[in-house]
PDB file of all heavy atoms in Angstrom:
ATOM      1  N   THR A 336       5.168 -14.973   1.420  1.00 92.00           N
ATOM      2  CA  THR A 336       5.711 -16.315   1.297  1.00 92.00           C
ATOM      3  C   THR A 336       5.012 -17.198   2.316  1.00 92.00           C
ATOM      4  O   THR A 336       4.546 -16.714   3.352  1.00 92.00           O
ATOM      5  CB  THR A 336       7.246 -16.314   1.479  1.00 92.00           C
ATOM      6  OG1 THR A 336       7.754 -17.618   1.190  1.00 92.00           O
ATOM      7  CG2 THR A 336       7.663 -15.940   2.886  1.00 92.00           C
ATOM      8  N   ILE A 382      10.025 -13.988  -5.684  1.00 97.00           N
ATOM      9  CA  ILE A 382      11.197 -13.151  -5.398  1.00 97.00           C
ATOM     10  C   ILE A 382      12.248 -13.263  -6.511  1.00 97.00           C
ATOM     11  O   ILE A 382      12.938 -12.294  -6.825  1.00 97.00           O
ATOM     12  CB  ILE A 382      11.833 -13.500  -4.021  1.00 97.00           C
ATOM     13  CG1 ILE A 382      12.880 -12.464  -3.600  1.00 97.00           C
ATOM     14  CG2 ILE A 382      12.460 -14.892  -4.041  1.00 97.00           C
ATOM     15  CD1 ILE A 382      12.347 -11.129  -3.224  1.00 97.00           C
ATOM     16  N   THR A 383      12.367 -14.443  -7.131  1.00 97.00           N
ATOM     17  CA  THR A 383      13.363 -14.598  -8.191  1.00 97.00           C
ATOM     18  C   THR A 383      13.139 -13.558  -9.288  1.00 97.00           C
ATOM     19  O   THR A 383      14.086 -12.958  -9.805  1.00 97.00           O
ATOM     20  CB  THR A 383      13.305 -16.008  -8.793  1.00 97.00           C
ATOM     21  OG1 THR A 383      13.350 -16.949  -7.722  1.00 97.00           O
ATOM     22  CG2 THR A 383      14.466 -16.260  -9.719  1.00 97.00           C
ATOM     23  N   SER A 457      20.250 -22.327 -11.768  1.00 97.00           N
ATOM     24  CA  SER A 457      19.184 -23.160 -11.215  1.00 97.00           C
ATOM     25  C   SER A 457      18.784 -22.568  -9.870  1.00 97.00           C
ATOM     26  O   SER A 457      19.635 -22.123  -9.104  1.00 97.00           O
ATOM     27  CB  SER A 457      19.706 -24.586 -11.030  1.00 97.00           C
ATOM     28  OG  SER A 457      18.774 -25.366 -10.306  1.00 97.00           O
ATOM     29  N   VAL A 458      17.500 -22.577  -9.577  1.00 96.00           N
ATOM     30  CA  VAL A 458      17.042 -22.009  -8.307  1.00 96.00           C
ATOM     31  C   VAL A 458      15.689 -22.585  -7.901  1.00 96.00           C
ATOM     32  O   VAL A 458      14.900 -22.969  -8.746  1.00 96.00           O
ATOM     33  CB  VAL A 458      16.899 -20.476  -8.387  1.00 96.00           C
ATOM     34  CG1 VAL A 458      15.862 -20.042  -9.403  1.00 96.00           C
ATOM     35  CG2 VAL A 458      16.565 -19.878  -7.019  1.00 96.00           C
ATOM     36  N   GLY A 459      15.456 -22.622  -6.618  1.00 92.00           N
ATOM     37  CA  GLY A 459      14.117 -22.902  -6.109  1.00 92.00           C
ATOM     38  C   GLY A 459      14.019 -24.166  -5.287  1.00 92.00           C
ATOM     39  O   GLY A 459      13.160 -24.292  -4.438  1.00 92.00           O
ATOM     40  N   GLU A 460      14.867 -25.118  -5.539  1.00 88.00           N
ATOM     41  CA  GLU A 460      14.849 -26.386  -4.805  1.00 88.00           C
ATOM     42  C   GLU A 460      16.164 -27.095  -5.127  1.00 88.00           C
ATOM     43  O   GLU A 460      16.865 -26.704  -6.057  1.00 88.00           O
ATOM     44  CB  GLU A 460      13.669 -27.238  -5.252  1.00 88.00           C
ATOM     45  CG  GLU A 460      13.713 -27.509  -6.736  1.00 88.00           C
ATOM     46  CD  GLU A 460      12.518 -28.283  -7.258  1.00 88.00           C
ATOM     47  OE1 GLU A 460      12.221 -29.337  -6.679  1.00 88.00           O
ATOM     48  OE2 GLU A 460      11.921 -27.849  -8.249  1.00 88.00           O
ATOM     49  N   PRO A 461      16.465 -28.131  -4.386  1.00 86.00           N
ATOM     50  CA  PRO A 461      17.703 -28.839  -4.698  1.00 86.00           C
ATOM     51  C   PRO A 461      17.634 -29.416  -6.118  1.00 86.00           C
ATOM     52  O   PRO A 461      16.584 -29.907  -6.529  1.00 86.00           O
ATOM     53  CB  PRO A 461      17.719 -29.981  -3.669  1.00 86.00           C
ATOM     54  CG  PRO A 461      16.826 -29.533  -2.559  1.00 86.00           C
ATOM     55  CD  PRO A 461      15.777 -28.673  -3.203  1.00 86.00           C
ATOM     56  N   ASP A 483      24.152 -23.350  -9.182  1.00 98.00           N
ATOM     57  CA  ASP A 483      23.038 -23.795  -8.357  1.00 98.00           C
ATOM     58  C   ASP A 483      22.936 -22.766  -7.237  1.00 98.00           C
ATOM     59  O   ASP A 483      23.733 -22.769  -6.306  1.00 98.00           O
ATOM     60  CB  ASP A 483      23.351 -25.197  -7.829  1.00 98.00           C
ATOM     61  CG  ASP A 483      22.286 -25.725  -6.892  1.00 98.00           C
ATOM     62  OD1 ASP A 483      21.276 -25.038  -6.661  1.00 98.00           O
ATOM     63  OD2 ASP A 483      22.474 -26.850  -6.372  1.00 98.00           O
ATOM     64  N   THR A 484      21.968 -21.859  -7.364  1.00 98.00           N
ATOM     65  CA  THR A 484      21.905 -20.702  -6.464  1.00 98.00           C
ATOM     66  C   THR A 484      20.910 -20.953  -5.342  1.00 98.00           C
ATOM     67  O   THR A 484      19.726 -21.130  -5.584  1.00 98.00           O
ATOM     68  CB  THR A 484      21.464 -19.436  -7.236  1.00 98.00           C
ATOM     69  OG1 THR A 484      20.135 -19.619  -7.737  1.00 98.00           O
ATOM     70  CG2 THR A 484      22.395 -19.150  -8.413  1.00 98.00           C
ATOM     71  N   TRP A 485      21.408 -20.975  -4.115  1.00 98.00           N
ATOM     72  CA  TRP A 485      20.500 -21.140  -2.978  1.00 98.00           C
ATOM     73  C   TRP A 485      20.185 -19.790  -2.368  1.00 98.00           C
ATOM     74  O   TRP A 485      21.104 -19.012  -2.056  1.00 98.00           O
ATOM     75  CB  TRP A 485      21.109 -22.043  -1.890  1.00 98.00           C
ATOM     76  CG  TRP A 485      20.211 -22.035  -0.682  1.00 98.00           C
ATOM     77  CD1 TRP A 485      19.109 -22.815  -0.490  1.00 98.00           C
ATOM     78  CD2 TRP A 485      20.294 -21.160   0.455  1.00 98.00           C
ATOM     79  NE1 TRP A 485      18.498 -22.473   0.694  1.00 98.00           N
ATOM     80  CE2 TRP A 485      19.194 -21.465   1.294  1.00 98.00           C
ATOM     81  CE3 TRP A 485      21.172 -20.145   0.838  1.00 98.00           C
ATOM     82  CZ2 TRP A 485      18.961 -20.806   2.493  1.00 98.00           C
ATOM     83  CZ3 TRP A 485      20.938 -19.476   2.040  1.00 98.00           C
ATOM     84  CH2 TRP A 485      19.845 -19.816   2.857  1.00 98.00           C
ATOM     85  N   TRP A 486      18.910 -19.536  -2.192  1.00 98.00           N
ATOM     86  CA  TRP A 486      18.460 -18.339  -1.463  1.00 98.00           C
ATOM     87  C   TRP A 486      16.983 -18.450  -1.182  1.00 98.00           C
ATOM     88  O   TRP A 486      16.402 -19.507  -1.401  1.00 98.00           O
ATOM     89  CB  TRP A 486      18.822 -17.049  -2.190  1.00 98.00           C
ATOM     90  CG  TRP A 486      18.320 -16.891  -3.595  1.00 98.00           C
ATOM     91  CD1 TRP A 486      18.633 -17.654  -4.682  1.00 98.00           C
ATOM     92  CD2 TRP A 486      17.416 -15.889  -4.069  1.00 98.00           C
ATOM     93  NE1 TRP A 486      17.987 -17.189  -5.796  1.00 98.00           N
ATOM     94  CE2 TRP A 486      17.232 -16.113  -5.449  1.00 98.00           C
ATOM     95  CE3 TRP A 486      16.750 -14.815  -3.477  1.00 98.00           C
ATOM     96  CZ2 TRP A 486      16.401 -15.303  -6.246  1.00 98.00           C
ATOM     97  CZ3 TRP A 486      15.937 -14.013  -4.262  1.00 98.00           C
ATOM     98  CH2 TRP A 486      15.771 -14.257  -5.628  1.00 98.00           C
ATOM     99  N   GLN A 487      16.366 -17.388  -0.680  1.00 97.00           N
ATOM    100  CA  GLN A 487      14.971 -17.430  -0.234  1.00 97.00           C
ATOM    101  C   GLN A 487      14.324 -16.062  -0.433  1.00 97.00           C
ATOM    102  O   GLN A 487      15.031 -15.053  -0.546  1.00 97.00           O
ATOM    103  CB  GLN A 487      14.902 -17.724   1.274  1.00 97.00           C
ATOM    104  CG  GLN A 487      15.738 -18.883   1.733  1.00 97.00           C
ATOM    105  CD  GLN A 487      15.677 -19.071   3.242  1.00 97.00           C
ATOM    106  OE1 GLN A 487      16.176 -18.229   3.982  1.00 97.00           O
ATOM    107  NE2 GLN A 487      15.063 -20.145   3.694  1.00 97.00           N
ATOM    108  N   THR A 488      12.994 -16.056  -0.394  1.00 97.00           N
ATOM    109  CA  THR A 488      12.273 -14.779  -0.426  1.00 97.00           C
ATOM    110  C   THR A 488      12.843 -13.852   0.646  1.00 97.00           C
ATOM    111  O   THR A 488      13.043 -12.657   0.426  1.00 97.00           O
ATOM    112  CB  THR A 488      10.768 -15.014  -0.152  1.00 97.00           C
ATOM    113  OG1 THR A 488      10.278 -15.962  -1.097  1.00 97.00           O
ATOM    114  CG2 THR A 488       9.970 -13.726  -0.266  1.00 97.00           C
ATOM    115  N   GLU A 489      13.117 -14.427   1.795  1.00 98.00           N
ATOM    116  CA  GLU A 489      13.583 -13.646   2.949  1.00 98.00           C
ATOM    117  C   GLU A 489      14.986 -13.084   2.753  1.00 98.00           C
ATOM    118  O   GLU A 489      15.342 -12.077   3.366  1.00 98.00           O
ATOM    119  CB  GLU A 489      13.607 -14.531   4.203  1.00 98.00           C
ATOM    120  CG  GLU A 489      12.242 -15.033   4.665  1.00 98.00           C
ATOM    121  CD  GLU A 489      11.787 -16.312   3.963  1.00 98.00           C
ATOM    122  OE1 GLU A 489      12.278 -16.598   2.841  1.00 98.00           O
ATOM    123  OE2 GLU A 489      10.947 -17.027   4.523  1.00 98.00           O
ATOM    124  N   THR A 571      17.270 -20.502   8.545  1.00 97.00           N
ATOM    125  CA  THR A 571      16.707 -20.518   7.190  1.00 97.00           C
ATOM    126  C   THR A 571      15.532 -21.473   7.011  1.00 97.00           C
ATOM    127  O   THR A 571      14.788 -21.345   6.044  1.00 97.00           O
ATOM    128  CB  THR A 571      17.784 -20.971   6.181  1.00 97.00           C
ATOM    129  OG1 THR A 571      18.132 -22.342   6.500  1.00 97.00           O
ATOM    130  CG2 THR A 571      19.027 -20.116   6.262  1.00 97.00           C
ATOM    131  N   ASP A 573      16.153 -24.560   6.317  1.00 94.00           N
ATOM    132  CA  ASP A 573      16.729 -25.608   5.474  1.00 94.00           C
ATOM    133  C   ASP A 573      17.789 -26.408   6.224  1.00 94.00           C
ATOM    134  O   ASP A 573      18.433 -25.897   7.138  1.00 94.00           O
ATOM    135  CB  ASP A 573      17.407 -24.985   4.240  1.00 94.00           C
ATOM    136  CG  ASP A 573      16.398 -24.549   3.194  1.00 94.00           C
ATOM    137  OD1 ASP A 573      15.456 -25.298   2.925  1.00 94.00           O
ATOM    138  OD2 ASP A 573      16.567 -23.443   2.653  1.00 94.00           O
ATOM    139  N   ILE A 585      22.522 -28.119  -0.158  1.00 93.00           N
ATOM    140  CA  ILE A 585      21.262 -27.908   0.559  1.00 93.00           C
ATOM    141  C   ILE A 585      20.483 -29.218   0.483  1.00 93.00           C
ATOM    142  O   ILE A 585      20.268 -29.751  -0.610  1.00 93.00           O
ATOM    143  CB  ILE A 585      20.441 -26.772  -0.079  1.00 93.00           C
ATOM    144  CG1 ILE A 585      21.312 -25.547  -0.355  1.00 93.00           C
ATOM    145  CG2 ILE A 585      19.225 -26.431   0.776  1.00 93.00           C
ATOM    146  CD1 ILE A 585      22.012 -24.951   0.828  1.00 93.00           C
ATOM    147  N   ARG A 588      14.028 -28.665   3.122  1.00 85.00           N
ATOM    148  CA  ARG A 588      13.375 -28.016   4.252  1.00 85.00           C
ATOM    149  C   ARG A 588      13.367 -28.937   5.466  1.00 85.00           C
ATOM    150  O   ARG A 588      13.216 -30.148   5.337  1.00 85.00           O
ATOM    151  CB  ARG A 588      11.921 -27.669   3.907  1.00 85.00           C
ATOM    152  CG  ARG A 588      11.753 -26.763   2.718  1.00 85.00           C
ATOM    153  CD  ARG A 588      12.171 -25.356   2.949  1.00 85.00           C
ATOM    154  NE  ARG A 588      11.636 -24.763   4.156  1.00 85.00           N
ATOM    155  CZ  ARG A 588      11.808 -23.476   4.469  1.00 85.00           C
ATOM    156  NH1 ARG A 588      12.502 -22.672   3.671  1.00 85.00           N
ATOM    157  NH2 ARG A 588      11.322 -22.996   5.572  1.00 85.00           N
ATOM    158  N   ILE A 594       8.182 -27.925  -1.167  1.00 90.00           N
ATOM    159  CA  ILE A 594       8.432 -27.205  -2.406  1.00 90.00           C
ATOM    160  C   ILE A 594       7.945 -28.054  -3.574  1.00 90.00           C
ATOM    161  O   ILE A 594       8.515 -29.097  -3.884  1.00 90.00           O
ATOM    162  CB  ILE A 594       9.912 -26.830  -2.514  1.00 90.00           C
ATOM    163  CG1 ILE A 594      10.256 -25.970  -1.282  1.00 90.00           C
ATOM    164  CG2 ILE A 594      10.178 -26.062  -3.793  1.00 90.00           C
ATOM    165  CD1 ILE A 594      11.634 -25.439  -1.259  1.00 90.00           C
ATOM    166  N   ASN A 599       6.929 -22.706  -3.064  1.00 85.00           N
ATOM    167  CA  ASN A 599       7.047 -22.914  -1.644  1.00 85.00           C
ATOM    168  C   ASN A 599       5.646 -22.952  -1.034  1.00 85.00           C
ATOM    169  O   ASN A 599       4.955 -21.967  -1.014  1.00 85.00           O
ATOM    170  CB  ASN A 599       7.808 -21.672  -1.171  1.00 85.00           C
ATOM    171  CG  ASN A 599       8.392 -21.831   0.153  1.00 85.00           C
ATOM    172  OD1 ASN A 599       7.859 -22.558   0.974  1.00 85.00           O
ATOM    173  ND2 ASN A 599       9.486 -21.138   0.379  1.00 85.00           N
TER     174      ASN A 599
HETATM  175  C1  LIG B 828      13.385 -22.158  -0.330  1.00 50.34           C
HETATM  176  C2  LIG B 828      13.030 -20.724  -0.511  1.00 50.34           C
HETATM  177  C3  LIG B 828      14.937 -18.049  -3.832  1.00 50.34           C
HETATM  178  C4  LIG B 828      14.154 -18.114  -4.958  1.00 50.34           C
HETATM  179  C5  LIG B 828      13.113 -19.143  -5.123  1.00 50.34           C
HETATM  180  C6  LIG B 828      12.531 -19.760  -3.907  1.00 50.34           C
HETATM  181  C7  LIG B 828      14.612 -23.767  -1.477  1.00 50.34           C
HETATM  182  C8  LIG B 828      15.864 -22.359  -3.132  1.00 50.34           C
HETATM  183  C9  LIG B 828      17.497 -23.677  -3.664  1.00 50.34           C
HETATM  184  C10 LIG B 828      18.645 -24.373  -4.159  1.00 50.34           C
HETATM  185  C11 LIG B 828      18.111 -26.141  -2.725  1.00 50.34           C
HETATM  186  C12 LIG B 828      16.708 -24.323  -2.698  1.00 50.34           C
HETATM  187  C13 LIG B 828      15.054 -23.759  -0.034  1.00 50.34           C
HETATM  188  C14 LIG B 828      14.674 -22.360   0.407  1.00 50.34           C
HETATM  189  N1  LIG B 828      15.685 -23.476  -2.404  1.00 50.34           N
HETATM  190  N2  LIG B 828      16.947 -22.473  -3.903  1.00 50.34           N
HETATM  191  N3  LIG B 828      19.446 -23.850  -5.092  1.00 50.34           N
HETATM  192  N4  LIG B 828      18.910 -25.600  -3.650  1.00 50.34           N
HETATM  193  N5  LIG B 828      17.017 -25.553  -2.230  1.00 50.34           N
HETATM  194  O1  LIG B 828      12.224 -18.832  -2.907  1.00 50.34           O
HETATM  195  O2  LIG B 828       9.920 -19.516  -2.320  1.00 50.34           O
HETATM  196  O3  LIG B 828      11.337 -18.239  -0.683  1.00 50.34           O
HETATM  197  O4  LIG B 828      11.827 -20.638  -1.219  1.00 50.34           O
HETATM  198  O5  LIG B 828      13.597 -22.776  -1.587  1.00 50.34           O
HETATM  199  O6  LIG B 828      14.335 -24.708   0.661  1.00 50.34           O
HETATM  200  O7  LIG B 828      14.508 -22.245   1.792  1.00 50.34           O
HETATM  201  P1  LIG B 828      11.265 -19.254  -1.753  1.00 50.34           P
END
Side-chain angles (χ1 to χ4, degrees):
T336 187
I382 191 70
T383 309
S457 171
V458 62
E460 58 184 308
D483 177 2
T484 64
W485 173 84
W486 57 297
Q487 311 177 292
T488 305
E489 295 85 337
T571 64
D573 283 317
I585 313 302
R588 301 289 311 186
I594 302 184
N599 197 330

